[in-house]
Amino acid sequence: MKHLFQKGKDPLKPILLLLHGTGGNELDLLPLAGKINEEASILSVRGNILENGMPRFFRRLAEGIFDEEDLVFRTKELYQFLNEAAEKYEFERKNIVAVGYSNGANIAASLMFHYQDALKGAILHHPMVPRRGIDLPDLSGKYVFIGAGTNDPICSAQESEELETILVNAGAKVELHWENRGHQLTFEEVNAAAQWFKNIF
Ligand code: MLT
């Protein structure tokens, strides 16, 4: 997968896996990584799907309606890419924390829905429930921050709460953070995520 890797000064800090939103690329979320931790290594990946020229991490049939078969395939592809990247760049495979926005948050959530050992934790900015009706792996010991908007037209408040419940039921420790805004990523939300990361890692 197209990506960039920046080795950080502190090898013990989690590797920040940056996953952009629809139409973005691997450069978009670099400023977030700096706010979360300046010394952490960064692995930033570009989604392999193009929707009308816009990169994404998996196909969708319509806004908010995912192509489930492709979601499962792309989740596995990203999972395998993480395994390969850990070997190539010689970082601790078990020490990855995802930072995703929108479509990137959805594939990060999908990694946790499908693989017990994909991520140590995740900052999910405006995620949806990636898939319903499946058993999740045991996510005890995993930490998740969900940034949600009370007026988010893409991901309803109810869906944000549903995602929280699913992850908590699988054993994850989840912080659900609200902004009285829509789907956009605000400074306040980024700062709240950075503070959450500092408290845990
Ligand atoms: C998705 O397709 O993943 C969500 O609708 C968010 C987005 O528009 O990227």
Side-chain angles (χ1 to χ4, degrees):
M1 298 184 78
K2 194 163 170 32
H3 66 279
L4 63 83
F5 179 75
Q6 278 175 24
K7 194 170 165 55
K9 283 192 197 134
D10 187 347
L12 297 178
K13 280 286 167 209
I15 290 82
L16 300 175
L17 169 66
L18 307 184
L19 302 164
H20 61 80
T22 301
N25 63 39
E26 66 279 12
L27 302 176
D28 284 13
L29 301 188
L30 290 176
L32 294 194
K35 285 210 176 293
I36 293 165
N37 192 284
E38 284 186 335
E39 308 213 314
S41 295
I42 297 170
L43 178 62
S44 188
V45 186
R46 184 186 297 194
N48 265 345
I49 296 297
L50 275 183
E51 182 188 83
N52 302 321
M54 296 187 296
R56 284 176 56 84
F57 288 94
F58 56 89
R59 289 183 207 287
R60 60 180 163 181
L61 307 173
E63 176 72 61
I65 304 178
F66 301 153
D67 177 335
E68 224 174 88
E69 199 181 316
D70 191 60
L71 172 66
V72 171
F73 177 84
R74 298 294 165 190
T75 302
K76 185 173 183 190
E77 181 181 55
L78 180 57
Y79 176 75
Q80 287 170 342
F81 169 78
L82 296 178
N83 295 342
E84 289 158 19
E87 284 205 5
K88 179 172 173 189
Y89 298 116
E90 299 179 330
F91 61 75
E92 171 74 70
R93 172 65 187 87
K94 291 196 163 72
N95 203 18
I96 300 177
V97 172
V99 182
Y101 169 61
S102 193
N103 183 245
N106 292 340
I107 193 93
S110 182
L111 278 172
M112 296 191 104
F113 270 48
H114 292 98
Y115 298 99
Q116 192 275 333
D117 58 353
L119 300 173
K120 182 174 192 168
I123 294 175
L124 307 176
H125 293 292
H126 301 265
M128 297 168 67
V129 174
R131 238 188 129 187
R132 291 186 172 82
I134 59 164
D135 288 332
L136 268 63
D138 177 7
L139 295 179
S140 40
K142 311 282 180 185
Y143 294 88
V144 182
F145 174 97
I146 298 176
T150 49
N151 298 309
D152 190 330
I154 295 174
C155 177
S156 68
Q158 197 188 7
E159 184 159 350
S160 306
E161 282 164 356
E162 184 187 349
L163 179 62
E164 178 192 28
T165 304
I166 294 171
L167 291 168
V168 166
N169 287 344
K173 292 226 168 0
V174 183
E175 179 167 323
L176 177 53
H177 172 89
W178 292 102
E179 295 287 332
N180 288 324
R181 305 289 280 271
H183 197 62
Q184 71 269 47
L185 189 48
T186 63
F187 282 115
E188 291 79 5
E189 185 175 316
V190 170
N191 286 338
Q195 193 54 53
W196 170 88
F197 183 91
K198 281 186 183 79
N199 291 342
I200 293 169
F201 303 107

